[in-house]
Amino acid sequence: MRQDVDIAVIGGGITGAATAYELARRGVDVLLIDAKDLNTEASGRNAGSLHGMIQHPSFMERGEDWARSFLPALDLLTDSLNLWEGLSDELSVDLEVTRNGGILIGATQGQLDDIARKVAIEQGAGYSSRMLDQSELREMAPWVSPDMPGGEYMPTEGKANPLVAAPSFARAAERHGARFALGEPVRSITRMNDGYELEAGSTAIRARSIVLAAGDGMNAIGRMLNLDIPVTSEAVQVSATEPVKPLVKHLVYNAGDKLTLKQAHTGALLIGGGWPARRNSAGEWVVNPDSLRDNLRVAMKVAPAIANANVVRTWAGIGNATPDLLPILGEYESAPGVFVGIYPHMGFTAGPLMGRMLADLATRTAVNRNLQPFSPGRFGSR
């Protein structure tokens, strides 16, 4: 079978689906390709956090100079968070978006001092994060252990449902005329005089331009174009409890051991924070019991009130990163008409805006922001 399209989008997660939607509603003939199905990798396996602060583990690992270099990427998250507010109405689906803010909890004075250094950088860039003393923390989150002396509050943060978001973008794209090639792994890409020819499963596709939003598959697809796209992947795990009464209103982090904690609309507590999964004998990513135990230990130390909630499910998901933890967003000079878009670690939050900007780039529409910090060329290319 053969399909001729204006733009082929590779990747059926939230960034790829949002790109297909933005292109289709502008009248572009677009085909969305995925080796498996929609939302089967990072976009559908994360815990639905909507991030808006500089992530504390990265700050501690890389320092203040890195944090300042990250500020343009933080601006992307902020603008994407604003898009999330109207998406349920726009896509005619309840995406369960809630933005009550995020709390980063410190367990020691040393941790609070580190948080304060990060907050100073955020505030210096115009963000409304602020420090919380112990009484303010207890007033905002009375379920937190009384041993916790304070933390940071970032009002822009929240959560959404990752099982619904990318498929909703895809359905909206289909209503606008987008086509799909799902379960069709890309096997080759050949540059032609007027675009590119792709072999995806049993389908031959001719496209004027290509958008790469394949996450974990970015390296292999890049090699087909002789591009070195420096995306790494790691498997982390998340747990969900049985539904419990409303308790946790915010997106919660811990400044010591790894933790994220929030409560879904169903009442389930979602517990994660980047604890690693493991590979089984077949090389598949599966749950690591040691990580599960340690993750729950940290959660109960920070929030003793959740100790009696039964965990009903734990799963492994894929997280993607770049060398400098900034997004890669733009066109490759050595492959005209090939546009790449990936936001490391926080791609779920950034997905709606990434889709809009990739659609702008692919249609040669002006993007009203400086994309130089995210240029694919900053890493060099083969």
Side-chain angles (χ1 to χ4, degrees):
M1 183 174 67
R2 180 181 181 86
Q3 297 200 54
D4 294 332
V5 297
D6 288 335
I7 299 175
V9 177
I10 304 175
I14 188 168
T15 296
T19 303
Y21 164 68
E22 292 288 346
L23 289 168
R25 73 171 182 164
R26 301 178 194 190
V28 176
D29 185 15
V30 58
L31 175 71
L32 180 62
I33 306 167
D34 195 279
K36 298 176 181 177
D37 201 347
L38 297 170
N39 213 37
T40 56
E41 298 295 334
S43 293
R45 297 190 192 186
N46 70 87
S49 299
L50 297 179
H51 299 285
M53 68 169 69
I54 298 169
Q55 294 299 285
H56 194 69
S58 301
F59 172 75
M60 293 302 297
E61 177 184 353
R62 297 178 180 242
E64 294 185 16
D65 288 343
W66 170 83
R68 293 184 182 92
S69 76
F70 184 78
L71 290 171
L74 190 61
D75 290 342
L76 293 188
L77 287 184
T78 301
D79 290 347
S80 197
L81 284 167
N82 292 333
L83 292 182
W84 274 101
E85 284 291 341
L87 279 181
S88 291
D89 290 339
E90 183 175 336
L91 301 179
S92 301
V93 177
D94 182 6
L95 301 179
E96 300 178 18
V97 178
T98 303
R99 292 178 64 195
N100 291 328
I103 301 174
L104 170 60
I105 296 173
T108 67
Q109 185 58 51
Q111 290 176 8
L112 292 182
D113 291 343
D114 290 331
I115 294 171
R117 291 190 296 116
K118 184 176 76 78
V119 168
I121 293 171
E122 291 165 345
Q123 290 180 341
Y127 288 92
S128 53
S129 59
R130 61 183 177 88
M131 295 297 293
L132 301 172
D133 63 23
Q134 188 172 46
S135 63
E136 291 173 313
L137 175 62
R138 291 286 296 169
E139 181 179 359
M140 191 172 287
W143 46 267
V144 168
S145 167
D147 296 332
M148 300 297 151
E152 171 190 2
Y153 176 62
M154 174 64 86
T156 59
E157 297 198 318
K159 62 182 184 292
N161 190 333
L163 300 179
V164 177
S168 297
F169 271 115
R171 284 192 293 270
E174 187 174 32
R175 290 195 295 270
H176 287 283
R179 290 180 274 163
F180 298 83
L182 303 178
E184 300 280 357
V186 176
R187 304 189 187 281
S188 69
I189 305 175
T190 304
R191 184 172 174 180
M192 313 296 287
N193 290 333
D194 57 349
Y196 294 86
E197 186 160 292
L198 302 84
E199 291 185 10
S202 60
T203 304
I205 301 159
R206 181 67 71 90
R208 172 177 54 80
S209 298
I210 300 173
V211 172
L212 302 183
D216 190 42
M218 201 77 87
N219 300 114
I221 294 171
R223 286 192 291 270
M224 298 176 192
L225 291 157
N226 200 34
L227 300 175
D228 184 10
I229 307 176
V231 174
T232 55
S233 301
E234 60 181 344
V236 296
Q237 56 193 54
V238 183
S239 297
T241 73
E242 64 188 330
V244 299
K245 66 181 181 180
L247 184 69
V248 182
K249 296 180 180 180
H250 306 91
L251 169 58
V252 179
Y253 313 86
N254 182 43
D257 290 328
K258 294 177 287 190
L259 177 69
T260 59
L261 173 66
K262 54 189 167 296
Q263 190 164 17
H265 282 208
T266 62
L269 297 169
L270 300 173
I271 304 168
W275 291 88
R278 63 181 176 89
R279 290 191 187 273
N280 62 15
S281 58
E284 301 165 326
W285 288 110
V286 296
V287 170
N288 183 335
D290 293 335
S291 289
L292 173 60
R293 181 189 63 245
D294 290 342
N295 196 181
L296 297 181
R297 172 184 55 79
V298 175
M300 289 186 290
K301 180 180 178 181
V302 172
I306 72 171
N308 293 327
N310 292 311
V311 172
V312 296
R313 181 186 173 214
T314 303
W315 66 96
I318 303 296
N320 303 123
T322 62
D324 55 11
L325 297 186
L326 270 66
I328 303 174
L329 179 61
E331 182 178 17
Y332 273 94
E333 290 184 8
S334 61
V338 174
F339 304 89
V340 62
I342 185 166
Y343 197 110
H345 293 314
M346 294 174 282
F348 181 71
T349 303
L353 183 63
M354 292 289 284
R356 183 169 294 185
M357 290 190 295
L358 284 165
D360 287 341
L361 291 169
T363 56
R364 307 295 180 184
T365 303
V367 178
N368 295 320
R369 68 173 66 240
N370 178 20
L371 299 185
Q372 188 60 37
F374 319 126
S375 168
R378 72 186 188 272
F379 303 111
S381 62
R382 295 199 308 268

